[in-house]
Amino acid sequence: MVFSWRKKKPRSFNGDKKKELEIPRHFLCPITLDLMKDPVTLSSGVTYDRESIEKWLDDGNFTCPVSNQVLRSFDQIPNHSLRKMIQDWCVENRSYGVERIPTPRIPVSFEEVSEVLFSIMDSTRRLDRCACLDSLHKLKKWGLESERNKRCIVANAAAAGAIAAAFDAFAGESVEKNINVLEEILFVINWMFPLTEQAQRYIGSQASLHCIALFLKSEDLSLKQNAITVLAELLSCNQKYTQALTTIDGINKTIFHFINNPICPSITKPSLTLIYHMVSLSNENTTTEFINMGLIPLLLEIMIDSQKAICEKALALIDQLCETEQGRGFAYDDALAMPVLVKKILRVSELATEYSVSAIWKLSKGDEKVLMEALQFGAFQKLLLLIQVGCNDKTKEKATELLKLLNPYRPGLECIDSLDFKNIKRSF
C-alpha cells in the first residue's frame, strides 16, 4: 500500500552568526527534509536517508516516494560520494553548531549473524559462559547500532531458539555464577517477540522461570523491566506456563508490588498483563491471594488517571476478577467501582468500553442496590448512547440487558423498546 507524506520546512542551523545557515537541498532527505546521515540510492535513482526509506518500505510501500515509480528492487546502494560531501560541509560549518555526521557502519549480514548464533549454540553446549558472553555482546552491539541490524538478527530463524536455549542451560547450571551472561540474554531476547515455540519451551522451563523471578527483585531497573516483559510475553504466547509460574514462592507478591508501587509504565503494563493471565487460568488460590492483597481497589485507583494502555489492561483485569464471587464482593464494597466503570464507557477506547460494560453487567445482575448506583452515575444514558453509536454484538447484548434491568428503576419513562435514541442528549 502507498502512504502519502507531507513536506515540512527544511531544517537550518543557527549558531552565533547573524545569518542563518541553509543546508544545501541535495543534502536533505526528500522524506524528512533533514540532513542525511546515511544516504542510499534506490533503483529509481533518487537518494534518501537509509533510516527514512527503510521505514517507508517496512510500512508496505513499493514505490519511490519522490517519483512514485514502482521499484524494480528494494536494494539500497550507499551513496559514498554524497555522504563524504555532507561530512565535509559539516566540518566547514562547525562554527554554526553543525556536528559532523559519523561514517555509517556496514550493516550486518545474515551470514555474520548465523556465525555468531552458531558460536552461542556451541558455547551453550560446553557451558562456556565467557565465549557465550562475547558472542552476545557482539549481537547486542549490532542490534543497538541500527534497526536494520536488529531486524537482521531477529529474522534469523535460529535466533530466538538458540538464545533461549542458552538462557535455560546457564540458568540451570548456576544463576549466581552465570548472572552476567543471563542478563545479556534477557536483554537480547526482548527483541525476539513473539517468541517461537522452541523459545517458549526453554524460557518456560523451571530453571528459566526461577531465574527470571529472581531478576524481578533486582535493583537494576533495566533488568527488572526485561524480566517482567519476557514473562508477560511468554504467558501471552502460551498460557500453559501459567501454573508453573504461580508455584514460584513469592511471585504473586513481587508482581503486585510493581502495581502497588509503580516504577514506570513499561513495568506496570506487563505486570497487569501477567496478573490477568495468572487469574484467568491458574487455580482459585492465586486469584484469592491477589484479591486479598487489595488488587481491586488498587486497580480502580489506577484507572482514575492513567494512560490508555494501562487503563485497558486494568479494566480487563477488573472484568476477569468479577467472574468470581469474591471479586464481585470486593467490587460491591468499593465506592469507586461503579463511578469509575461508568465513566470509562465511551471515554477511553472501544476495548475499554467493552470491559467496562462487561464488568457492570456482572455486578448488576439481580442486585437492586448496584442498579440504583449505576443509574445515579449515568449508566442508563451512556448505555443508550453506546447502542446508538454502535459496538460489537457481545457488548451490545450486555448493554441491552443492562438497560432492561435499569429501566424499572426510572419511574415515568417509556419502556426501552420505544425510546427514541435520536433524541437522547449526552449528559455526561
Side-chain angles (χ1 to χ4, degrees):
M1 55 184 172
V2 179
F3 297 103
S4 62
W5 50 282
R6 184 184 299 174
K7 288 186 177 182
K8 65 178 184 178
K9 186 178 178 180
R11 183 181 172 187
S12 58
F13 292 91
N14 188 12
D16 296 331
K17 306 292 184 181
K18 291 183 179 180
K19 187 178 179 181
E20 192 177 65
L21 176 66
E22 290 291 337
I23 304 173
R25 287 198 169 271
H26 59 292
F27 289 176
L28 300 175
C29 174
I31 296 177
T32 63
L33 293 184
D34 286 332
L35 186 68
M36 289 188 280
K37 299 178 181 177
D38 186 5
V40 293
T41 304
L42 299 185
S43 58
S44 62
V46 182
T47 299
Y48 301 91
D49 192 48
R50 186 189 295 276
E51 183 178 349
S52 301
I53 195 60
E54 282 184 349
K55 185 178 185 305
W56 171 267
L57 297 175
D58 288 344
D59 285 341
N61 297 288
F62 48 86
T63 59
C64 172
V66 169
S67 67
N68 208 31
Q69 296 177 20
V70 176
L71 297 171
R72 298 190 303 274
S73 77
F74 294 145
D75 292 342
Q76 301 162 30
I77 311 302
N79 193 328
H80 297 299
S81 299
L82 181 57
R83 189 253 308 155
K84 184 68 169 58
M85 290 170 61
I86 294 173
Q87 288 178 321
D88 292 342
W89 179 86
C90 291
V91 173
E92 291 172 3
N93 293 280
R94 191 179 304 167
S95 60
Y96 286 88
V98 182
E99 294 183 4
R100 181 183 182 275
I101 61 168
T103 301
R105 296 181 181 274
I106 300 174
V108 66
S109 67
F110 178 84
E111 291 73 19
E112 288 175 307
V113 172
S114 298
E115 184 179 344
V116 171
L117 290 174
F118 178 80
S119 174
I120 289 175
M121 289 186 278
D122 181 60
S123 57
T124 298
R125 180 179 55 80
R126 295 181 287 106
L127 288 177
D128 184 345
R129 61 178 177 276
C130 292
C132 187
L133 193 59
D134 288 342
S135 299
L136 287 166
H137 282 159
K138 189 173 291 186
L139 276 186
K140 183 177 178 180
K141 179 174 176 289
W142 284 340
L144 293 177
E145 279 179 1
S146 70
E147 286 298 317
R148 175 175 178 160
N149 285 353
K150 188 182 293 185
R151 288 194 298 269
C152 184
I153 295 168
V154 173
N156 193 300
I163 294 170
F167 191 88
D168 180 38
F170 286 106
E173 186 198 23
S174 170
V175 174
E176 185 177 357
K177 187 166 65 174
N178 299 314
I179 190 166
N180 290 333
V181 68
L182 290 167
E183 288 179 2
E184 291 300 302
I185 292 173
L186 208 56
F187 181 91
V188 173
I189 209 165
N190 267 263
W191 301 342
M192 310 289 174
F193 301 157
L195 296 172
T196 62
E197 289 187 13
Q198 183 187 29
Q200 292 169 31
R201 288 196 298 272
Y202 287 121
I203 296 298
S205 71
Q206 282 295 322
S208 295
L209 289 176
H210 278 83
C211 176
I212 296 173
L214 186 64
F215 286 165
L216 292 177
K217 300 177 182 178
S218 170
E219 295 297 322
D220 186 331
L221 180 60
S222 176
L223 180 58
K224 199 190 299 278
Q225 179 180 323
N226 291 335
I228 194 70
T229 305
V230 166
L231 283 180
E233 171 64 19
L234 176 65
L235 297 197
S236 297
C237 290
N238 196 330
Q239 297 174 343
K240 75 177 184 179
Y241 298 104
T242 303
Q243 194 61 45
L245 181 62
T246 57
T247 61
I248 298 175
D249 187 43
I251 188 71
N252 294 349
K253 291 182 179 178
T254 301
I255 301 171
F256 178 81
H257 177 77
F258 291 155
I259 301 173
N260 193 31
N261 300 279
I263 303 171
C264 61
S266 56
I267 289 180
T268 302
K269 285 186 280 189
S271 299
L272 290 168
T273 300
L274 202 53
I275 296 179
Y276 175 82
H277 290 301
M278 293 170 78
V279 301
S280 297
L281 293 176
S282 59
N283 57 50
E284 189 177 332
N285 292 336
T286 300
T287 303
T288 299
E289 185 176 352
F290 277 119
I291 291 175
N292 289 336
M293 286 179 191
L295 181 59
I296 290 178
L298 179 59
L299 292 173
L300 292 168
E301 289 181 15
I302 288 173
M303 288 189 293
I304 293 174
D305 184 21
S306 63
Q307 297 178 357
K308 174 185 171 183
I310 291 178
C311 186
E312 288 176 342
K313 292 178 186 297
L315 280 167
L317 192 44
I318 284 281
D319 181 45
Q320 183 61 41
L321 291 170
C322 285
E323 288 279 354
T324 67
E325 186 177 348
Q326 185 188 17
R328 290 193 296 273
F330 270 76
Y332 286 142
D333 296 335
D334 196 300
L336 278 177
M338 194 55 67
V340 169
L341 290 174
V342 172
K343 182 180 178 181
K344 297 305 174 182
I345 298 175
L346 297 172
R347 279 289 186 92
V348 180
S349 66
E350 184 177 341
L351 188 60
T353 295
E354 180 181 339
Y355 289 133
S356 297
V357 171
S358 179
I360 295 171
W361 177 77
K362 291 170 184 176
L363 291 170
S364 300
K365 293 189 71 173
D367 192 304
E368 180 178 343
K369 179 183 175 183
V370 175
L371 291 170
M372 293 296 291
E373 189 178 3
L375 277 174
Q376 179 186 349
F377 291 106
F380 195 87
Q381 294 92 332
K382 279 208 166 185
L383 292 169
L384 283 171
L385 183 60
L386 175 62
I387 293 175
Q388 182 184 12
V389 299
C391 55
N392 62 56
D393 292 342
K394 190 175 180 181
T395 303
K396 184 176 181 180
E397 182 181 344
K398 290 180 178 179
T400 303
E401 186 175 342
L402 274 171
L403 286 170
K404 291 178 179 178
L405 291 171
L406 291 167
N407 197 49
Y409 299 96
R410 289 170 53 87
L413 292 182
E414 302 173 74
C415 67
I416 290 173
D417 293 336
S418 63
L419 285 174
D420 183 3
F421 287 163
K422 293 182 178 179
N423 292 328
I424 297 171
K425 294 183 178 180
R426 193 165 182 169
S427 57
F428 43 88

